[in-house]
Amino acid sequence: MNNRISRSVLEDNHKRLIDQYKANLSDVCAIQSILNDEILSHVVQELALSDADHTWAKEWISDTATIFRFLRHHSFVRSFTLEAIYTALIWRLNALRLFALPSALLHCLPPPICDPLGRPLVFLQLSELLTCEQTMMDGLLISLERLSIHLRSLNTLNDEFVNREVTLQCVFVIDLEGLSVQSVNLKILTWLMKEVVPRYPGMLGAVFFLNYSWTYAITWSIMKSLLPKSAVAKVFFPSREELLRYCSASALPSTMHSSDYGGALLPLHLIEDPLNSHEQKNCASVASREWCMPAPSTGLPETLHRQPSSVTIPPRSSFNPFFGYPSVASFSRPHTVQQGRRRKRDLLLTLSVLWWKRWGTRVMITLYFLIVVGLTRRRVRRVARWMLGVALPSGSALLAMT
């Protein structure tokens, strides 16, 4: 288990990231030119965007750090990067909910507080995230959007200083207090991997898990063999003392809920959070400032900031009358739903999803049990071989003596 913070590993990863950013900055600028000159004009005509939406989309494209993260996530292949950015842009214009309240699960420490490599520190209590509902998931997306804007605002400040490096990532400190492996919500984890990571790629520079139990040691020993080395190098399970040695007490809160971090700052809930402040002074424009402002609490349902002429209903949504197949609902005719193409792969995928919902938990438990048994048997064999290797020389020595 990678339970100690390796500062040398973190510094090497950070230096490699900055070098990649500098080496590929020309490609990033070329992609931004293609997006502005070709793709954005097509999106404006396709979705009939207003001037405000056009300005907001153009501002998002102008963020070189965001475009670089997409490029790096897709192995620096331009075609894949352009396709992913186009998909993310359409999703942002159609589905990202502006007026959902930000999630209280994320708490970012305000600048100039940061880790030794200049990255913002974001605290998360995982036990609350894994029990959240759809409204909390929407709020978490808004918090991640604000975190992206916060990184952009930090880079705007860094531009005023010649020797300051660009801020590309942040550090997550995740508290596992009160969370057991059995209580993990696989639906939320699947949503994070499928829906969140592709739309906000490469924002995590490191993840520190605190207050973990011995069961996480077994789980992590299995998971890290399945993950790429680049992901494993970002995950750490430090003790409180190790976290204090890395970040120093001046960069950590004293407490978070019932957890004692030993920092010199105020308790976490008393520290200003740039992701939940009513005014973010560093937003780059009016369009960004709208994203920084929470909606007033009116008791009304959530509304979409942008309402296109139609919206795609997910194939397996409870609101889809053609369950298993994509459908399109019109805003001008709300009671009319048009069925999309009926493809065999949609049917097979739906049947697979339903089967997994019925048997997935048992399959995961069975696989987990088999892996644990396999690892146990391997260790038993190693011990037996070692004991046999020790016993044979001893027996030979006794025979020689007789």
Short mmCIF file of all heavy atoms in Angstrom, two decimals, residues 14-62:
data_model
loop_
_atom_site.label_atom_id
_atom_site.label_comp_id
_atom_site.label_asym_id
_atom_site.label_seq_id
_atom_site.Cartn_x
_atom_site.Cartn_y
_atom_site.Cartn_z
N HIS A 14 4.92 16.65 -11.29
CA HIS A 14 4.59 18.05 -11.57
C HIS A 14 5.54 18.64 -12.61
O HIS A 14 5.09 19.35 -13.54
CB HIS A 14 4.68 18.86 -10.26
CG HIS A 14 4.34 20.30 -10.43
ND1 HIS A 14 3.07 20.74 -10.70
CD2 HIS A 14 5.13 21.42 -10.35
CE1 HIS A 14 3.07 22.06 -10.79
NE2 HIS A 14 4.30 22.49 -10.59
N LYS A 15 6.81 18.35 -12.51
CA LYS A 15 7.78 18.86 -13.49
C LYS A 15 7.49 18.29 -14.88
O LYS A 15 7.56 19.01 -15.89
CB LYS A 15 9.20 18.50 -13.05
CG LYS A 15 10.29 19.06 -13.97
CD LYS A 15 11.67 18.70 -13.46
CE LYS A 15 12.76 19.31 -14.35
NZ LYS A 15 12.65 18.90 -15.75
N ARG A 16 7.15 17.00 -14.94
CA ARG A 16 6.83 16.40 -16.23
C ARG A 16 5.59 17.04 -16.84
O ARG A 16 5.53 17.28 -18.05
CB ARG A 16 6.60 14.90 -16.04
CG ARG A 16 6.48 14.12 -17.35
CD ARG A 16 6.22 12.64 -17.09
NE ARG A 16 7.25 12.07 -16.23
CZ ARG A 16 7.03 11.66 -14.99
NH1 ARG A 16 5.82 11.77 -14.46
NH2 ARG A 16 8.01 11.14 -14.27
N LEU A 17 4.61 17.37 -16.00
CA LEU A 17 3.40 18.01 -16.49
C LEU A 17 3.69 19.40 -17.05
O LEU A 17 3.21 19.75 -18.14
CB LEU A 17 2.38 18.11 -15.35
CG LEU A 17 1.05 18.78 -15.68
CD1 LEU A 17 0.22 17.91 -16.62
CD2 LEU A 17 0.25 19.07 -14.39
N ILE A 18 4.47 20.18 -16.33
CA ILE A 18 4.81 21.53 -16.80
C ILE A 18 5.62 21.46 -18.10
O ILE A 18 5.41 22.26 -19.03
CB ILE A 18 5.58 22.30 -15.72
CG1 ILE A 18 4.70 22.48 -14.46
CG2 ILE A 18 6.03 23.65 -16.24
CD1 ILE A 18 3.43 23.26 -14.71
N ASP A 19 6.56 20.51 -18.18
CA ASP A 19 7.34 20.36 -19.41
C ASP A 19 6.45 19.98 -20.59
O ASP A 19 6.64 20.47 -21.72
CB ASP A 19 8.42 19.30 -19.21
CG ASP A 19 9.51 19.74 -18.23
OD1 ASP A 19 9.61 20.97 -17.98
OD2 ASP A 19 10.23 18.88 -17.70
N GLN A 20 5.48 19.11 -20.35
CA GLN A 20 4.54 18.74 -21.42
C GLN A 20 3.70 19.93 -21.85
O GLN A 20 3.43 20.10 -23.05
CB GLN A 20 3.64 17.60 -20.95
CG GLN A 20 4.34 16.26 -20.81
CD GLN A 20 3.43 15.19 -20.26
OE1 GLN A 20 2.38 15.47 -19.68
NE2 GLN A 20 3.83 13.93 -20.42
N TYR A 21 3.31 20.73 -20.89
CA TYR A 21 2.52 21.92 -21.23
C TYR A 21 3.32 22.88 -22.11
O TYR A 21 2.81 23.37 -23.13
CB TYR A 21 2.08 22.62 -19.94
CG TYR A 21 1.34 23.93 -20.16
CD1 TYR A 21 0.00 23.92 -20.51
CD2 TYR A 21 2.00 25.15 -20.01
CE1 TYR A 21 -0.68 25.12 -20.71
CE2 TYR A 21 1.33 26.34 -20.21
CZ TYR A 21 -0.01 26.32 -20.56
OH TYR A 21 -0.67 27.51 -20.78
N LYS A 22 4.57 23.12 -21.76
CA LYS A 22 5.40 24.03 -22.54
C LYS A 22 5.70 23.46 -23.92
O LYS A 22 5.71 24.19 -24.92
CB LYS A 22 6.69 24.33 -21.79
CG LYS A 22 6.49 25.10 -20.49
CD LYS A 22 7.80 25.31 -19.76
CE LYS A 22 7.61 26.09 -18.46
NZ LYS A 22 8.88 26.26 -17.71
N ALA A 23 5.94 22.15 -23.98
CA ALA A 23 6.29 21.52 -25.25
C ALA A 23 5.11 21.45 -26.21
O ALA A 23 5.31 21.44 -27.43
CB ALA A 23 6.83 20.11 -25.00
N ASN A 24 3.89 21.39 -25.68
CA ASN A 24 2.70 21.23 -26.53
C ASN A 24 1.85 22.49 -26.59
O ASN A 24 0.71 22.43 -27.05
CB ASN A 24 1.84 20.07 -26.01
CG ASN A 24 2.53 18.72 -26.17
OD1 ASN A 24 2.47 18.11 -27.21
ND2 ASN A 24 3.17 18.28 -25.10
N LEU A 25 2.39 23.61 -26.16
CA LEU A 25 1.62 24.85 -26.17
C LEU A 25 1.25 25.27 -27.59
O LEU A 25 0.16 25.80 -27.83
CB LEU A 25 2.42 25.96 -25.47
CG LEU A 25 1.66 27.25 -25.17
CD1 LEU A 25 0.42 26.98 -24.33
CD2 LEU A 25 2.57 28.25 -24.46
N SER A 26 2.13 25.01 -28.55
CA SER A 26 1.80 25.35 -29.94
C SER A 26 0.64 24.51 -30.46
O SER A 26 -0.22 25.01 -31.20
CB SER A 26 3.04 25.15 -30.82
OG SER A 26 3.50 23.80 -30.75
N ASP A 27 0.60 23.23 -30.08
CA ASP A 27 -0.53 22.38 -30.47
C ASP A 27 -1.83 22.86 -29.83
O ASP A 27 -2.90 22.82 -30.45
CB ASP A 27 -0.27 20.93 -30.07
CG ASP A 27 0.74 20.26 -30.99
OD1 ASP A 27 1.00 20.81 -32.07
OD2 ASP A 27 1.27 19.20 -30.61
N VAL A 28 -1.73 23.30 -28.58
CA VAL A 28 -2.91 23.83 -27.90
C VAL A 28 -3.45 25.05 -28.63
O VAL A 28 -4.66 25.18 -28.87
CB VAL A 28 -2.57 24.17 -26.43
CG1 VAL A 28 -3.73 24.91 -25.78
CG2 VAL A 28 -2.26 22.90 -25.65
N CYS A 29 -2.56 25.95 -29.02
CA CYS A 29 -2.99 27.15 -29.75
C CYS A 29 -3.58 26.78 -31.11
O CYS A 29 -4.57 27.41 -31.55
CB CYS A 29 -1.79 28.09 -29.94
SG CYS A 29 -1.14 28.78 -28.39
N ALA A 30 -3.02 25.76 -31.77
CA ALA A 30 -3.57 25.33 -33.06
C ALA A 30 -4.97 24.76 -32.88
O ALA A 30 -5.88 25.01 -33.70
CB ALA A 30 -2.64 24.30 -33.69
N ILE A 31 -5.17 23.99 -31.83
CA ILE A 31 -6.51 23.43 -31.56
C ILE A 31 -7.49 24.54 -31.25
O ILE A 31 -8.65 24.52 -31.70
CB ILE A 31 -6.42 22.41 -30.40
CG1 ILE A 31 -5.66 21.16 -30.84
CG2 ILE A 31 -7.81 22.04 -29.89
CD1 ILE A 31 -5.42 20.17 -29.74
N GLN A 32 -7.06 25.54 -30.49
CA GLN A 32 -7.95 26.66 -30.20
C GLN A 32 -8.34 27.42 -31.47
O GLN A 32 -9.49 27.86 -31.61
CB GLN A 32 -7.27 27.61 -29.21
CG GLN A 32 -7.17 27.05 -27.80
CD GLN A 32 -6.40 27.96 -26.86
OE1 GLN A 32 -5.37 28.52 -27.23
NE2 GLN A 32 -6.90 28.12 -25.65
N SER A 33 -7.42 27.54 -32.40
CA SER A 33 -7.74 28.21 -33.67
C SER A 33 -8.78 27.43 -34.45
O SER A 33 -9.73 28.00 -35.01
CB SER A 33 -6.47 28.38 -34.51
OG SER A 33 -5.52 29.19 -33.85
N ILE A 34 -8.63 26.10 -34.50
CA ILE A 34 -9.62 25.26 -35.19
C ILE A 34 -10.98 25.35 -34.51
O ILE A 34 -12.02 25.46 -35.17
CB ILE A 34 -9.13 23.80 -35.24
CG1 ILE A 34 -7.84 23.70 -36.05
CG2 ILE A 34 -10.21 22.89 -35.82
CD1 ILE A 34 -7.23 22.31 -36.04
N LEU A 35 -10.98 25.36 -33.20
CA LEU A 35 -12.25 25.44 -32.46
C LEU A 35 -12.94 26.77 -32.72
O LEU A 35 -14.16 26.81 -32.93
CB LEU A 35 -11.98 25.26 -30.96
CG LEU A 35 -11.55 23.86 -30.51
CD1 LEU A 35 -11.11 23.90 -29.05
CD2 LEU A 35 -12.68 22.86 -30.68
N ASN A 36 -12.20 27.85 -32.72
CA ASN A 36 -12.79 29.18 -32.93
C ASN A 36 -13.22 29.40 -34.37
O ASN A 36 -14.30 29.96 -34.64
CB ASN A 36 -11.80 30.26 -32.50
CG ASN A 36 -11.72 30.42 -30.99
OD1 ASN A 36 -12.74 30.47 -30.31
ND2 ASN A 36 -10.52 30.48 -30.46
N ASP A 37 -12.40 28.95 -35.32
CA ASP A 37 -12.66 29.27 -36.72
C ASP A 37 -13.65 28.32 -37.39
O ASP A 37 -14.38 28.72 -38.29
CB ASP A 37 -11.34 29.24 -37.51
CG ASP A 37 -10.35 30.27 -37.01
OD1 ASP A 37 -10.80 31.24 -36.34
OD2 ASP A 37 -9.13 30.11 -37.24
N GLU A 38 -13.71 27.07 -36.94
CA GLU A 38 -14.52 26.08 -37.63
C GLU A 38 -15.63 25.50 -36.74
O GLU A 38 -16.81 25.60 -37.06
CB GLU A 38 -13.63 24.95 -38.16
CG GLU A 38 -12.55 25.43 -39.12
CD GLU A 38 -11.63 24.31 -39.57
OE1 GLU A 38 -12.03 23.13 -39.42
OE2 GLU A 38 -10.51 24.59 -40.05
N ILE A 39 -15.22 24.90 -35.63
CA ILE A 39 -16.18 24.14 -34.83
C ILE A 39 -17.18 25.06 -34.13
O ILE A 39 -18.39 24.78 -34.13
CB ILE A 39 -15.43 23.26 -33.81
CG1 ILE A 39 -14.62 22.20 -34.56
CG2 ILE A 39 -16.40 22.61 -32.83
CD1 ILE A 39 -13.84 21.27 -33.66
N LEU A 40 -16.72 26.15 -33.54
CA LEU A 40 -17.63 27.01 -32.79
C LEU A 40 -18.68 27.65 -33.70
O LEU A 40 -19.86 27.76 -33.32
CB LEU A 40 -16.84 28.08 -32.05
CG LEU A 40 -17.65 28.97 -31.11
CD1 LEU A 40 -18.41 28.14 -30.08
CD2 LEU A 40 -16.75 29.97 -30.40
N SER A 41 -18.28 28.05 -34.89
CA SER A 41 -19.26 28.62 -35.83
C SER A 41 -20.32 27.59 -36.21
O SER A 41 -21.50 27.93 -36.37
CB SER A 41 -18.54 29.14 -37.07
OG SER A 41 -17.82 28.09 -37.70
N HIS A 42 -19.91 26.33 -36.35
CA HIS A 42 -20.88 25.27 -36.65
C HIS A 42 -21.83 25.07 -35.48
O HIS A 42 -23.04 24.87 -35.67
CB HIS A 42 -20.12 23.98 -36.96
CG HIS A 42 -21.01 22.78 -37.12
ND1 HIS A 42 -21.84 22.60 -38.21
CD2 HIS A 42 -21.21 21.71 -36.32
CE1 HIS A 42 -22.50 21.47 -38.08
NE2 HIS A 42 -22.14 20.91 -36.93
N VAL A 43 -21.30 25.11 -34.25
CA VAL A 43 -22.14 24.93 -33.06
C VAL A 43 -23.13 26.09 -32.93
O VAL A 43 -24.29 25.89 -32.55
CB VAL A 43 -21.26 24.80 -31.80
CG1 VAL A 43 -22.11 24.82 -30.54
CG2 VAL A 43 -20.44 23.53 -31.87
N VAL A 44 -22.68 27.31 -33.23
CA VAL A 44 -23.56 28.47 -33.15
C VAL A 44 -24.76 28.30 -34.07
O VAL A 44 -25.91 28.58 -33.70
CB VAL A 44 -22.79 29.76 -33.50
CG1 VAL A 44 -23.74 30.93 -33.66
CG2 VAL A 44 -21.77 30.07 -32.41
N GLN A 45 -24.54 27.81 -35.29
CA GLN A 45 -25.64 27.60 -36.23
C GLN A 45 -26.50 26.41 -35.83
O GLN A 45 -27.72 26.44 -35.95
CB GLN A 45 -25.07 27.38 -37.64
CG GLN A 45 -24.36 28.60 -38.20
CD GLN A 45 -23.77 28.34 -39.58
OE1 GLN A 45 -23.87 27.23 -40.11
NE2 GLN A 45 -23.15 29.36 -40.16
N GLU A 46 -25.87 25.35 -35.35
CA GLU A 46 -26.60 24.13 -35.00
C GLU A 46 -27.55 24.35 -33.83
O GLU A 46 -28.69 23.88 -33.85
CB GLU A 46 -25.62 23.01 -34.67
CG GLU A 46 -26.27 21.69 -34.29
CD GLU A 46 -25.24 20.64 -33.90
OE1 GLU A 46 -24.02 20.92 -34.00
OE2 GLU A 46 -25.66 19.55 -33.49
N LEU A 47 -27.08 25.06 -32.80
CA LEU A 47 -27.88 25.26 -31.59
C LEU A 47 -28.52 26.63 -31.52
O LEU A 47 -29.22 26.92 -30.54
CB LEU A 47 -27.01 25.04 -30.35
CG LEU A 47 -26.35 23.67 -30.19
CD1 LEU A 47 -25.54 23.61 -28.91
CD2 LEU A 47 -27.39 22.56 -30.22
N ALA A 48 -28.30 27.48 -32.53
CA ALA A 48 -28.85 28.84 -32.55
C ALA A 48 -28.51 29.57 -31.26
O ALA A 48 -29.39 30.07 -30.54
CB ALA A 48 -30.36 28.79 -32.76
N LEU A 49 -27.22 29.65 -30.97
CA LEU A 49 -26.77 30.23 -29.71
C LEU A 49 -26.98 31.74 -29.70
O LEU A 49 -26.87 32.42 -30.72
CB LEU A 49 -25.28 29.94 -29.51
CG LEU A 49 -24.86 28.48 -29.36
CD1 LEU A 49 -23.37 28.40 -29.10
CD2 LEU A 49 -25.63 27.78 -28.26
N SER A 50 -27.28 32.24 -28.53
CA SER A 50 -27.37 33.68 -28.33
C SER A 50 -25.96 34.27 -28.22
O SER A 50 -24.97 33.54 -28.13
CB SER A 50 -28.16 34.00 -27.07
OG SER A 50 -27.48 33.49 -25.92
N ASP A 51 -25.86 35.58 -28.21
CA ASP A 51 -24.55 36.23 -28.09
C ASP A 51 -23.88 35.89 -26.76
O ASP A 51 -22.66 35.69 -26.70
CB ASP A 51 -24.71 37.75 -28.23
CG ASP A 51 -25.13 38.16 -29.63
OD1 ASP A 51 -24.93 37.35 -30.57
OD2 ASP A 51 -25.67 39.27 -29.79
N ALA A 52 -24.69 35.81 -25.70
CA ALA A 52 -24.12 35.48 -24.39
C ALA A 52 -23.57 34.06 -24.36
O ALA A 52 -22.50 33.80 -23.82
CB ALA A 52 -25.18 35.66 -23.30
N ASP A 53 -24.32 33.10 -24.97
CA ASP A 53 -23.85 31.73 -25.02
C ASP A 53 -22.60 31.61 -25.87
O ASP A 53 -21.67 30.87 -25.53
CB ASP A 53 -24.94 30.82 -25.59
CG ASP A 53 -26.14 30.72 -24.67
OD1 ASP A 53 -25.98 31.01 -23.47
OD2 ASP A 53 -27.23 30.36 -25.14
N HIS A 54 -22.57 32.36 -26.97
CA HIS A 54 -21.39 32.35 -27.84
C HIS A 54 -20.17 32.87 -27.10
O HIS A 54 -19.08 32.30 -27.18
CB HIS A 54 -21.69 33.18 -29.09
CG HIS A 54 -20.58 33.14 -30.11
ND1 HIS A 54 -20.44 34.08 -31.11
CD2 HIS A 54 -19.53 32.28 -30.26
CE1 HIS A 54 -19.39 33.78 -31.83
NE2 HIS A 54 -18.82 32.70 -31.34
N THR A 55 -20.34 33.95 -26.36
CA THR A 55 -19.23 34.52 -25.60
C THR A 55 -18.74 33.56 -24.53
O THR A 55 -17.54 33.38 -24.32
CB THR A 55 -19.67 35.85 -24.95
OG1 THR A 55 -20.12 36.75 -25.97
CG2 THR A 55 -18.54 36.48 -24.16
N TRP A 56 -19.70 32.91 -23.86
CA TRP A 56 -19.34 31.96 -22.80
C TRP A 56 -18.57 30.76 -23.37
O TRP A 56 -17.56 30.33 -22.81
CB TRP A 56 -20.60 31.49 -22.09
CG TRP A 56 -20.36 30.41 -21.09
CD1 TRP A 56 -19.85 30.54 -19.83
CD2 TRP A 56 -20.61 29.01 -21.27
NE1 TRP A 56 -19.78 29.32 -19.22
CE2 TRP A 56 -20.23 28.37 -20.07
CE3 TRP A 56 -21.12 28.26 -22.31
CZ2 TRP A 56 -20.34 27.00 -19.91
CZ3 TRP A 56 -21.23 26.89 -22.16
CH2 TRP A 56 -20.84 26.27 -20.96
N ALA A 57 -19.03 30.24 -24.52
CA ALA A 57 -18.34 29.11 -25.15
C ALA A 57 -16.95 29.51 -25.63
O ALA A 57 -15.98 28.75 -25.48
CB ALA A 57 -19.17 28.58 -26.31
N LYS A 58 -16.84 30.71 -26.19
CA LYS A 58 -15.54 31.18 -26.68
C LYS A 58 -14.57 31.37 -25.53
O LYS A 58 -13.36 31.10 -25.66
CB LYS A 58 -15.74 32.49 -27.45
CG LYS A 58 -14.56 32.89 -28.30
CD LYS A 58 -14.90 34.03 -29.23
CE LYS A 58 -13.73 34.36 -30.15
NZ LYS A 58 -14.07 35.45 -31.11
N GLU A 59 -15.06 31.84 -24.41
CA GLU A 59 -14.19 32.02 -23.25
C GLU A 59 -13.68 30.68 -22.73
O GLU A 59 -12.51 30.55 -22.35
CB GLU A 59 -14.94 32.75 -22.14
CG GLU A 59 -14.11 32.97 -20.89
CD GLU A 59 -14.91 33.63 -19.79
OE1 GLU A 59 -15.87 34.35 -20.12
OE2 GLU A 59 -14.59 33.40 -18.62
N TRP A 60 -14.54 29.67 -22.71
CA TRP A 60 -14.12 28.33 -22.27
C TRP A 60 -13.04 27.79 -23.20
O TRP A 60 -12.06 27.20 -22.74
CB TRP A 60 -15.34 27.40 -22.24
CG TRP A 60 -15.01 26.01 -21.79
CD1 TRP A 60 -14.66 25.61 -20.53
CD2 TRP A 60 -14.99 24.83 -22.60
NE1 TRP A 60 -14.44 24.25 -20.51
CE2 TRP A 60 -14.64 23.75 -21.76
CE3 TRP A 60 -15.26 24.58 -23.94
CZ2 TRP A 60 -14.53 22.44 -22.23
CZ3 TRP A 60 -15.16 23.28 -24.41
CH2 TRP A 60 -14.79 22.22 -23.56
N ILE A 61 -13.20 27.99 -24.50
CA ILE A 61 -12.21 27.51 -25.47
C ILE A 61 -10.89 28.25 -25.32
O ILE A 61 -9.82 27.70 -25.56
CB ILE A 61 -12.78 27.67 -26.90
CG1 ILE A 61 -13.93 26.69 -27.12
CG2 ILE A 61 -11.70 27.46 -27.95
CD1 ILE A 61 -14.65 26.88 -28.44
N SER A 62 -10.94 29.51 -24.89
CA SER A 62 -9.71 30.32 -24.79
C SER A 62 -8.84 29.94 -23.61
O SER A 62 -7.71 30.41 -23.50
CB SER A 62 -10.08 31.80 -24.68
OG SER A 62 -10.76 32.06 -23.45
#
